[in-house]
Amino acid sequence: MSLFAVTVLGHDRPGIVADTTAALARLGGNLEDSTMTLLGGHFAMLLLVRTGSGREGVEHALQPLGADGLLTVDVREVTDDAATPAPASDLHVLSVHGADRAGIVSAVTGVLAGAGGNVTDLTTRLAGGLYVLLADVALPASVDVAALRQALAATADELGVDVSLRPVDTDEL
């Protein structure tokens, strides 16, 4: 059984999830992980599916999705490396909000990366002029979280936004 990353992207319409997952189910594919979201009228899916069908079989099964040219479908085989989750005590939630401007994601994720932080999930939304960023971050145990918060606050001041970094309460998971 091979593991495939499947991406589907295009103008949103009802039935994208149902059509995609039905095609994979007909192959006997097991949907092991996924993320799906609506981005400004476009629907984006990223799936990890395990199936005994080869890449060509998966591509053939999903080919009807892109037949009208409104959806782009990509299939690639990925390695079966087991993810190493960070210890629960190192998981944090980063939130940023403020007036929209270019470079917010780059600046705050650059600070996190500089501290060895790994962004495991990130979502942004623009509502009117308010920009909101939420991210799950795994930090190495050696990180000085207070110093990281100060670095993030300094970056937030430069950007004119508010930022917070708080540990994840394991009861939330």
Side-chain angles (χ1 to χ4, degrees):
M1 301 276 279
S2 297
L3 188 63
F4 296 94
V6 175
T7 58
V8 178
L9 176 66
H11 290 281
D12 189 36
R13 64 165 172 76
I16 296 173
V17 174
D19 295 345
T20 303
T21 56
L24 295 171
R26 284 191 291 274
L27 289 177
N30 183 34
L31 197 61
E32 294 191 357
D33 209 350
S34 68
T35 186
M36 306 174 201
T37 192
L38 184 63
L39 300 167
H42 299 271
F43 193 73
M45 302 173 66
L46 177 58
L47 316 169
L48 285 181
V49 61
R50 186 173 306 278
T51 178
S53 298
R55 179 179 172 174
E56 289 180 10
V58 176
E59 288 173 335
H60 179 73
L62 296 174
Q63 188 276 332
L65 292 170
D68 61 3
L70 298 177
L71 291 176
T72 301
V73 179
D74 182 63
V75 178
R76 70 179 56 198
E77 189 167 358
V78 294
T79 59
D80 198 14
D81 300 335
T84 305
S89 61
D90 294 332
L91 299 178
H92 289 71
V93 173
L94 173 76
S95 65
V96 178
H97 64 277
D100 186 31
R101 63 170 286 181
I104 294 173
V105 175
S106 172
V108 296
T109 59
V111 172
L112 293 170
N118 186 28
V119 176
T120 59
D121 190 56
L122 189 146
T123 301
T124 63
R125 289 283 184 251
L126 180 61
L130 179 64
Y131 189 80
V132 177
L133 178 157
L134 293 172
D136 295 338
V137 181
L139 297 175
S142 60
V143 166
D144 180 343
V145 176
L148 177 59
R149 283 190 179 111
Q150 288 178 342
L152 287 166
T155 299
D157 284 346
E158 293 171 11
L159 295 168
V161 297
D162 293 320
V163 65
S164 74
L165 179 69
R166 65 175 178 81
V168 172
D169 183 349
T170 54
D171 290 339
E172 292 178 14
L173 303 175

